[in-house]
Amino acid sequence: MKRYFMTDIHGDARGMKALLDHVGIDFSVDQIVFGGDMINRGKDSAEVVKFVKNLVDTFPNNVHAVVGNHEEMLSDYYRSGDKTWLHHGGSEALKNFNKTFTDDADRQSHLEWATSLPLLFEDEAFVYTHAGLNPHEPLNKQSREILWMSESVLYSIPGTSLLALTQNKPIIHGHTPVEYIYFDGVRLNCDLGSNTYSIEEERGLGLVNLTEMTYFIYKQAQKKIEKRKVVQI
């Protein structure tokens, strides 16, 4: 069994499927965790949610997903009318959901699934979460504020404190876009900036092979895939 992690897909259904096909994941044997922020920015938010939910439903022992802050904003919009989500790609995502799911009940079930995902997933090797963990809260009682934790805050926490919380399991996460993936023995940020661009570099969507400590990045502008090694520091 190999362990994989993909996070911050942000509506890129094409890149997501291309990466999964490229590495040839066997979902009946291999494990993959999706790290939240499936929606917004890209044009296919509904298709991403539909695809991931189907995988989780079909392979519940091997495919897992956790919630991200963009799903949290979606939840706030539907439960309390908070319009923050609409200003962060939600307006376009909402149109996409309405177009993809013509059946109201089907659309609602997918939205409820995406917003009710757990804050974290834990296996024998790692703890997976969207953005970070609070070392002052028990692992099973983390507050939802961790969905918004920046990389600078997470990496300012002593590694010993985090490993004491996780019983020496490294934390696999996303949320803060990076150009390359580094592993400091405690934290591994896998968000390669899907559907975000900067002047210095073009970013993409990543799929990390945690068993081999390698990763594949789908460069969205060129529609090509590159393989890289995780840099251990």
Coordinates of all heavy atoms in Angstrom, one line a residue, residues 127-203:
V127 N -0.7 12.5 10.7 CA -1.9 13.2 10.9 C -2.2 14.2 9.8 O -1.3 14.9 9.5 CB -1.9 13.9 12.3 CG1 -3.2 14.7 12.5 CG2 -1.7 12.9 13.4
Y128 N -3.3 14.1 9.2 CA -3.7 14.9 8.0 C -4.7 16.0 8.4 O -5.7 15.7 9.0 CB -4.2 14.1 6.9 CG -3.4 12.9 6.5 CD1 -3.5 11.7 7.3 CD2 -2.6 12.8 5.4 CE1 -2.8 10.5 7.0 CE2 -1.8 11.7 5.1 CZ -1.9 10.6 5.9 OH -1.2 9.4 5.6
T129 N -4.4 17.2 8.1 CA -5.4 18.3 8.3 C -5.2 19.4 7.3 O -4.2 19.4 6.5 CB -5.2 18.9 9.8 OG1 -6.2 19.8 10.1 CG2 -3.8 19.6 9.9
H130 N -6.1 20.3 7.2 CA -6.1 21.3 6.1 C -4.9 22.3 6.3 O -4.2 22.5 5.4 CB -7.4 22.0 6.0 CG -7.3 23.1 4.9 ND1 -7.1 22.8 3.6 CD2 -7.4 24.5 5.0 CE1 -7.1 24.0 2.9 NE2 -7.3 25.0 3.7
A131 N -4.9 22.9 7.5 CA -3.9 24.0 7.6 C -2.9 23.8 8.8 O -1.8 24.3 8.7 CB -4.7 25.3 7.8
G132 N -3.4 23.2 9.9 CA -2.5 23.1 11.0 C -3.2 22.5 12.2 O -4.3 22.0 12.1
L133 N -2.5 22.5 13.3 CA -3.0 21.9 14.6 C -2.6 22.9 15.7 O -1.6 23.5 15.7 CB -2.4 20.5 14.9 CG -2.9 19.4 13.9 CD1 -2.1 18.1 14.3 CD2 -4.4 19.2 13.9
N134 N -3.5 22.9 16.7 CA -3.2 23.7 17.9 C -2.6 22.7 19.0 O -3.4 21.9 19.5 CB -4.5 24.3 18.4 CG -4.2 25.3 19.6 OD1 -3.2 25.2 20.3 ND2 -5.2 26.1 19.9
P135 N -1.4 22.9 19.4 CA -0.8 22.0 20.4 C -1.4 22.1 21.8 O -1.1 21.3 22.6 CB 0.7 22.4 20.4 CG 0.7 23.8 20.0 CD -0.4 24.0 19.0
H136 N -2.2 23.1 22.0 CA -2.8 23.3 23.3 C -4.2 22.7 23.4 O -4.8 22.8 24.5 CB -2.9 24.8 23.6 CG -1.6 25.6 23.5 ND1 -0.5 25.3 24.4 CD2 -1.1 26.5 22.7 CE1 0.5 26.0 24.1 NE2 0.2 26.8 23.1
E137 N -4.6 22.0 22.4 CA -5.9 21.4 22.4 C -5.7 19.9 22.1 O -4.9 19.6 21.2 CB -6.9 22.0 21.3 CG -7.2 23.5 21.6 CD -8.0 24.0 20.4 OE1 -8.0 23.5 19.3 OE2 -8.6 25.1 20.6
P138 N -6.4 19.0 22.7 CA -6.3 17.6 22.4 C -6.6 17.3 20.9 O -7.4 18.0 20.3 CB -7.4 16.9 23.3 CG -7.6 17.9 24.4 CD -7.4 19.3 23.8
L139 N -6.0 16.3 20.4 CA -6.2 16.0 19.0 C -7.6 15.8 18.6 O -8.1 16.2 17.5 CB -5.3 14.8 18.6 CG -4.9 14.7 17.1 CD1 -4.2 15.9 16.6 CD2 -4.1 13.4 16.9
N140 N -8.4 15.2 19.5 CA -9.8 14.9 19.2 C -10.7 16.0 19.5 O -12.0 15.9 19.4 CB -10.3 13.6 19.9 CG -10.2 13.7 21.4 OD1 -9.6 14.7 21.9 ND2 -10.8 12.8 22.1
K141 N -10.2 17.2 20.0 CA -11.0 18.3 20.3 C -10.4 19.6 19.8 O -10.5 20.7 20.4 CB -11.1 18.4 21.8 CG -11.9 17.3 22.5 CD -12.1 17.5 24.0 CE -12.8 16.3 24.6 NZ -13.0 16.5 26.1
Q142 N -9.9 19.5 18.6 CA -9.3 20.7 17.9 C -10.5 21.7 17.5 O -11.5 21.3 17.1 CB -8.5 20.3 16.7 CG -7.3 19.6 17.0 CD -6.1 20.4 17.4 OE1 -5.7 21.4 16.7 NE2 -5.5 20.1 18.6
S143 N -10.2 23.0 17.7 CA -11.2 24.0 17.3 C -11.2 24.2 15.8 O -10.1 24.0 15.2 CB -11.0 25.3 18.1 OG -9.7 25.8 17.8
R144 N -12.2 24.8 15.3 CA -12.3 25.0 13.8 C -11.4 26.2 13.4 O -11.2 26.4 12.2 CB -13.7 25.2 13.4 CG -14.6 24.1 13.8 CD -16.0 24.2 13.1 NE -16.0 23.8 11.7 CZ -16.0 22.5 11.3 NH1 -16.0 21.5 12.1 NH2 -16.0 22.3 10.0
E145 N -10.8 26.9 14.3 CA -9.9 27.9 13.9 C -8.6 27.4 13.2 O -7.9 28.1 12.5 CB -9.4 28.7 15.2 CG -10.4 29.7 15.7 CD -11.7 29.1 16.4 OE1 -11.6 27.9 16.7 OE2 -12.7 29.8 16.5
I146 N -8.3 26.1 13.4 CA -7.1 25.5 12.8 C -7.3 25.5 11.3 O -6.3 25.4 10.6 CB -6.8 24.1 13.3 CG1 -8.0 23.1 13.0 CG2 -6.5 24.1 14.8 CD1 -7.6 21.7 13.2
L147 N -8.5 25.6 10.8 CA -8.7 25.7 9.3 C -8.1 26.9 8.7 O -7.9 26.9 7.4 CB -10.2 25.6 9.0 CG -10.9 24.3 9.3 CD1 -12.4 24.5 9.1 CD2 -10.4 23.2 8.5
W148 N -7.8 27.9 9.5 CA -7.3 29.2 9.0 C -5.9 29.4 9.4 O -5.3 30.5 9.1 CB -8.2 30.3 9.5 CG -9.6 30.2 9.2 CD1 -10.6 29.5 9.9 CD2 -10.3 30.7 8.0 NE1 -11.8 29.5 9.2 CE2 -11.6 30.3 8.1 CE3 -9.9 31.5 6.9 CZ2 -12.6 30.6 7.1 CZ3 -10.8 31.8 6.0 CH2 -12.1 31.4 6.1
M149 N -5.2 28.5 10.0 CA -3.9 28.7 10.5 C -2.9 28.9 9.3 O -2.8 28.0 8.4 CB -3.4 27.5 11.3 CG -2.1 27.6 12.0 SD -1.6 26.2 13.0 CE -2.7 26.5 14.5
S150 N -2.1 29.9 9.4 CA -1.1 30.2 8.3 C 0.1 29.3 8.5 O 0.4 28.8 9.6 CB -0.7 31.7 8.3 OG 0.0 32.0 9.5
E151 N 0.9 29.2 7.4 CA 2.1 28.4 7.5 C 3.1 29.0 8.5 O 3.7 28.3 9.3 CB 2.8 28.3 6.2 CG 4.0 27.4 6.1 CD 4.7 27.5 4.8 OE1 5.1 28.6 4.4 OE2 4.9 26.4 4.2
S152 N 3.1 30.4 8.5 CA 4.1 31.0 9.5 C 3.7 30.7 10.9 O 4.6 30.5 11.7 CB 4.1 32.5 9.2 OG 2.8 33.1 9.4
V153 N 2.4 30.7 11.2 CA 2.0 30.3 12.6 C 2.4 28.9 12.9 O 2.9 28.6 14.0 CB 0.5 30.6 12.8 CG1 0.1 30.1 14.2 CG2 0.3 32.1 12.8
L154 N 2.0 28.0 12.0 CA 2.2 26.5 12.3 C 3.7 26.3 12.5 O 4.1 25.5 13.3 CB 1.7 25.7 11.1 CG 1.9 24.2 11.2 CD1 1.2 23.6 12.4 CD2 1.4 23.5 9.9
Y155 N 4.5 26.9 11.6 CA 6.0 26.6 11.7 C 6.7 27.4 12.7 O 7.9 27.1 13.0 CB 6.6 26.8 10.3 CG 6.2 25.7 9.3 CD1 4.9 25.5 8.9 CD2 7.2 24.8 8.9 CE1 4.6 24.5 8.0 CE2 6.9 23.8 8.0 CZ 5.6 23.6 7.5 OH 5.2 22.6 6.7
S156 N 6.0 28.2 13.4 CA 6.6 28.9 14.6 C 6.4 28.1 15.9 O 7.0 28.4 16.9 CB 6.0 30.3 14.8 OG 4.6 30.2 15.2
I157 N 5.5 27.1 15.8 CA 5.3 26.2 17.0 C 6.4 25.2 17.1 O 6.8 24.6 16.1 CB 4.0 25.5 16.8 CG1 2.8 26.5 16.7 CG2 3.7 24.5 18.0 CD1 1.5 25.8 16.3
P158 N 7.0 25.1 18.3 CA 8.1 24.1 18.4 C 7.7 22.7 17.9 O 6.6 22.2 18.3 CB 8.4 24.1 19.9 CG 7.9 25.4 20.4 CD 6.8 25.8 19.5
G159 N 8.6 22.1 17.2 CA 8.2 20.8 16.7 C 8.0 19.7 17.7 O 7.1 18.8 17.6
T160 N 8.7 19.9 18.9 CA 8.5 18.9 20.0 C 7.0 19.0 20.5 O 6.5 18.0 20.9 CB 9.5 19.2 21.1 OG1 9.4 20.6 21.5 CG2 10.9 18.9 20.7
S161 N 6.5 20.2 20.5 CA 5.1 20.4 21.0 C 4.1 19.7 20.1 O 3.1 19.1 20.5 CB 4.8 21.9 21.1 OG 5.6 22.5 22.1
L162 N 4.3 19.9 18.8 CA 3.4 19.2 17.8 C 3.5 17.7 17.8 O 2.5 17.0 17.8 CB 3.7 19.8 16.4 CG 3.3 21.2 16.2 CD1 3.9 21.7 14.8 CD2 1.8 21.4 16.3
L163 N 4.7 17.2 17.9 CA 4.9 15.8 18.0 C 4.4 15.1 19.2 O 3.9 14.0 19.2 CB 6.4 15.4 17.8 CG 7.0 15.7 16.4 CD1 8.5 15.4 16.3 CD2 6.3 14.9 15.3
A164 N 4.4 15.9 20.3 CA 3.8 15.4 21.6 C 2.3 15.3 21.4 O 1.7 14.3 21.9 CB 4.2 16.4 22.7
L165 N 1.7 16.2 20.7 CA 0.3 16.2 20.4 C -0.1 15.0 19.5 O -1.1 14.3 19.8 CB -0.1 17.5 19.7 CG -1.6 17.6 19.2 CD1 -2.5 17.6 20.4 CD2 -1.8 18.8 18.4
T166 N 0.7 14.7 18.5 CA 0.4 13.7 17.5 C 1.0 12.3 17.8 O 0.9 11.4 17.0 CB 0.9 14.1 16.1 OG1 2.3 14.2 16.1 CG2 0.3 15.5 15.7
Q167 N 1.7 12.2 19.0 CA 2.4 11.0 19.3 C 3.4 10.6 18.2 O 3.5 9.5 17.7 CB 1.4 9.8 19.5 CG 0.4 10.1 20.7 CD -0.4 8.9 20.9 OE1 -0.8 8.1 20.0 NE2 -0.8 8.7 22.2
N168 N 4.2 11.7 17.9 CA 5.4 11.6 17.0 C 5.0 11.3 15.5 O 5.8 10.9 14.8 CB 6.3 10.5 17.5 CG 7.0 10.9 18.8 OD1 7.4 12.0 19.0 ND2 7.1 9.9 19.7
K169 N 3.8 11.6 15.2 CA 3.4 11.5 13.8 C 3.5 12.9 13.1 O 2.9 13.8 13.6 CB 1.9 11.0 13.7 CG 1.7 9.6 14.2 CD 0.3 9.2 14.1 CE 0.0 7.8 14.7 NZ -1.4 7.4 14.6
P170 N 4.2 13.0 12.0 CA 4.3 14.2 11.2 C 2.9 14.7 10.8 O 2.0 13.9 10.5 CB 5.2 13.9 10.0 CG 6.0 12.7 10.5 CD 5.1 11.9 11.4
I171 N 2.8 16.0 10.6 CA 1.5 16.6 10.1 C 1.6 16.9 8.6 O 2.5 17.6 8.2 CB 1.3 17.9 10.9 CG1 1.2 17.7 12.4 CG2 0.0 18.6 10.4 CD1 1.4 18.9 13.3
I172 N 0.6 16.4 7.9 CA 0.5 16.6 6.5 C -0.6 17.6 6.2 O -1.7 17.4 6.7 CB 0.2 15.3 5.7 CG1 1.2 14.2 6.2 CG2 0.3 15.5 4.2 CD1 2.7 14.5 6.0
H173 N -0.3 18.7 5.5 CA -1.3 19.8 5.4 C -1.1 20.6 4.1 O -0.3 20.3 3.3 CB -1.1 20.7 6.6 CG 0.1 21.5 6.6 ND1 0.2 22.8 6.1 CD2 1.4 21.2 6.9 CE1 1.4 23.3 6.2 NE2 2.2 22.4 6.7
G174 N -2.0 21.6 4.0 CA -1.9 22.5 2.9 C -2.2 23.9 3.3 O -1.6 24.4 4.3
H175 N -3.1 24.6 2.6 CA -3.7 25.9 2.9 C -2.8 27.1 2.5 O -3.3 28.0 1.9 CB -3.9 26.0 4.4 CG -4.6 27.3 4.8 ND1 -5.8 27.7 4.3 CD2 -4.1 28.3 5.7 CE1 -6.1 28.9 4.9 NE2 -5.1 29.3 5.7
T176 N -1.5 27.1 2.8 CA -0.6 28.2 2.4 C 0.2 27.8 1.1 O 1.0 26.8 1.2 CB 0.3 28.6 3.5 OG1 -0.4 28.9 4.7 CG2 1.2 29.7 3.1
P177 N 0.0 28.4 0.0 CA 0.7 28.0 -1.2 C 2.2 28.1 -1.1 O 2.7 29.1 -0.6 CB 0.1 28.9 -2.3 CG -1.2 29.4 -1.8 CD -1.0 29.5 -0.3
V178 N 2.9 27.1 -1.7 CA 4.3 27.1 -1.7 C 4.7 26.7 -3.1 O 4.0 26.0 -3.8 CB 5.0 26.2 -0.7 CG1 4.7 26.7 0.7 CG2 4.4 24.7 -0.8
E179 N 6.0 27.0 -3.5 CA 6.4 26.6 -4.8 C 7.0 25.2 -4.8 O 6.9 24.4 -5.8 CB 7.5 27.6 -5.3 CG 7.9 27.3 -6.8 CD 8.9 28.4 -7.3 OE1 9.3 29.3 -6.5 OE2 9.3 28.3 -8.4
Y180 N 7.7 24.8 -3.7 CA 8.3 23.5 -3.6 C 7.9 22.9 -2.2 O 7.5 23.6 -1.3 CB 9.8 23.6 -3.6 CG 10.3 24.1 -5.0 CD1 10.7 25.4 -5.2 CD2 10.4 23.2 -6.1 CE1 11.1 25.9 -6.4 CE2 10.9 23.7 -7.3 CZ 11.2 25.0 -7.4 OH 11.6 25.5 -8.7
I181 N 7.9 21.6 -2.2 CA 7.5 20.9 -0.9 C 8.7 20.5 -0.1 O 9.6 19.8 -0.6 CB 6.6 19.6 -1.3 CG1 5.3 20.1 -2.0 CG2 6.3 18.8 0.0 CD1 4.4 18.9 -2.3
Y182 N 8.7 20.9 1.1 CA 9.8 20.6 2.1 C 9.2 19.8 3.3 O 8.1 20.0 3.6 CB 10.4 21.9 2.6 CG 11.1 22.7 1.5 CD1 10.4 23.7 0.8 CD2 12.4 22.5 1.2 CE1 10.9 24.4 -0.2 CE2 13.0 23.3 0.2 CZ 12.3 24.3 -0.5 OH 12.9 25.0 -1.4
F183 N 10.1 19.0 3.9 CA 9.7 18.2 5.0 C 10.7 18.4 6.1 O 11.9 18.1 5.9 CB 9.6 16.7 4.7 CG 9.2 15.9 5.8 CD1 8.1 16.2 6.7 CD2 9.8 14.6 6.0 CE1 7.7 15.4 7.7 CE2 9.4 13.8 7.1 CZ 8.4 14.2 7.9
D184 N 10.3 19.0 7.3 CA 11.2 19.3 8.4 C 11.2 18.2 9.4 O 11.7 18.4 10.5 CB 11.0 20.6 9.0 CG 9.6 20.7 9.7 OD1 8.8 19.8 9.6 OD2 9.3 21.8 10.2
G185 N 10.5 17.1 9.1 CA 10.4 16.0 10.1 C 9.2 16.1 11.0 O 8.8 15.1 11.7
V186 N 8.5 17.2 10.9 CA 7.3 17.5 11.7 C 6.1 17.9 10.8 O 5.0 17.4 11.0 CB 7.6 18.6 12.8 CG1 6.3 18.9 13.6 CG2 8.8 18.3 13.6
R187 N 6.4 18.8 9.8 CA 5.3 19.3 9.0 C 5.7 19.2 7.5 O 6.9 19.3 7.2 CB 5.1 20.8 9.3 CG 4.6 21.1 10.7 CD 5.2 22.3 11.3 NE 6.6 22.2 11.6 CZ 7.2 22.9 12.6 NH1 6.6 23.6 13.4 NH2 8.5 22.7 12.8
L188 N 4.7 18.9 6.7 CA 4.9 18.9 5.3 C 3.7 19.6 4.6 O 2.6 19.1 4.6 CB 4.9 17.4 4.8 CG 5.5 17.1 3.5 CD1 6.1 15.7 3.4 CD2 4.4 17.2 2.4
N189 N 4.0 20.7 4.0 CA 3.0 21.5 3.3 C 2.9 21.1 1.9 O 3.9 21.3 1.1 CB 3.4 23.0 3.4 CG 2.3 23.9 2.8 OD1 1.3 23.5 2.2 ND2 2.5 25.2 2.9
C190 N 1.7 20.7 1.5 CA 1.5 20.1 0.1 C 0.7 21.0 -0.8 O 0.3 20.6 -1.9 CB 0.8 18.8 0.2 SG 1.7 17.6 1.3
D191 N 0.4 22.2 -0.4 CA -0.4 23.2 -1.3 C 0.5 23.8 -2.3 O 1.3 24.7 -1.9 CB -1.1 24.2 -0.4 CG -1.9 25.2 -1.2 OD1 -2.0 25.0 -2.4 OD2 -2.4 26.1 -0.6
L192 N 0.4 23.5 -3.5 CA 1.3 24.0 -4.6 C 0.6 25.2 -5.3 O 1.0 25.6 -6.4 CB 1.7 23.0 -5.5 CG 2.7 22.0 -4.9 CD1 3.0 20.8 -5.8 CD2 4.1 22.7 -4.6
G193 N -0.5 25.7 -4.8 CA -1.1 26.9 -5.3 C -2.0 26.7 -6.5 O -2.0 27.5 -7.5
S194 N -2.8 25.6 -6.5 CA -3.7 25.4 -7.6 C -4.6 26.6 -7.9 O -5.3 27.2 -7.1 CB -4.6 24.2 -7.3 OG -5.6 23.9 -8.4
N195 N -4.6 27.0 -9.2 CA -5.4 28.1 -9.7 C -5.0 29.4 -9.0 O -5.8 30.3 -8.9 CB -6.9 27.8 -9.6 CG -7.4 26.9 -10.7 OD1 -7.0 27.0 -11.8 ND2 -8.3 26.0 -10.3
T196 N -3.8 29.5 -8.6 CA -3.2 30.8 -8.2 C -1.9 31.1 -8.9 O -1.2 30.1 -9.3 CB -2.9 30.8 -6.7 OG1 -1.9 29.9 -6.4 CG2 -4.2 30.4 -5.8
Y197 N -1.6 32.3 -9.2 CA -0.4 32.7 -9.9 C 0.3 33.8 -9.3 O -0.4 34.7 -8.6 CB -0.8 33.0 -11.4 CG -1.4 31.9 -12.1 CD1 -2.8 31.7 -12.1 CD2 -0.6 31.0 -12.9 CE1 -3.4 30.7 -12.8 CE2 -1.2 29.9 -13.5 CZ -2.6 29.8 -13.5 OH -3.2 28.7 -14.2
S198 N 1.5 33.9 -9.4 CA 2.3 35.1 -8.9 C 3.3 35.5 -10.0 O 3.4 34.8 -11.0 CB 3.1 34.7 -7.6 OG 4.2 33.8 -8.0
I199 N 3.9 36.6 -9.8 CA 4.8 37.2 -10.8 C 6.0 36.3 -11.0 O 6.5 36.0 -12.1 CB 5.2 38.6 -10.5 CG1 4.0 39.5 -10.5 CG2 6.3 39.1 -11.4 CD1 4.3 40.9 -10.0
E200 N 6.5 35.7 -9.8 CA 7.7 35.0 -9.9 C 7.5 33.6 -10.5 O 8.4 33.1 -11.2 CB 8.2 34.8 -8.4 CG 8.7 36.1 -7.8 CD 7.5 36.9 -7.3 OE1 6.4 36.4 -7.2 OE2 7.8 38.1 -7.0
E201 N 6.4 32.9 -10.2 CA 6.3 31.6 -10.7 C 4.9 31.2 -11.0 O 4.0 31.8 -10.4 CB 6.9 30.6 -9.7 CG 6.1 30.3 -8.5 CD 6.2 31.4 -7.4 OE1 7.2 32.1 -7.4 OE2 5.3 31.5 -6.6
E202 N 4.7 30.2 -11.8 CA 3.4 29.7 -12.0 C 3.2 28.4 -11.1 O 4.1 27.6 -11.0 CB 3.2 29.2 -13.5 CG 1.9 28.5 -13.8 CD 2.1 27.2 -14.5 OE1 3.0 27.1 -15.3 OE2 1.3 26.3 -14.3
R203 N 2.1 28.4 -10.5 CA 1.9 27.3 -9.5 C 1.0 26.3 -10.2 O 0.6 26.4 -11.3 CB 1.3 27.8 -8.2 CG 2.4 28.7 -7.5 CD 1.8 29.4 -6.3 NE 2.8 30.0 -5.5 CZ 2.7 31.0 -4.7 NH1 1.5 31.5 -4.5 NH2 3.7 31.5 -4.0

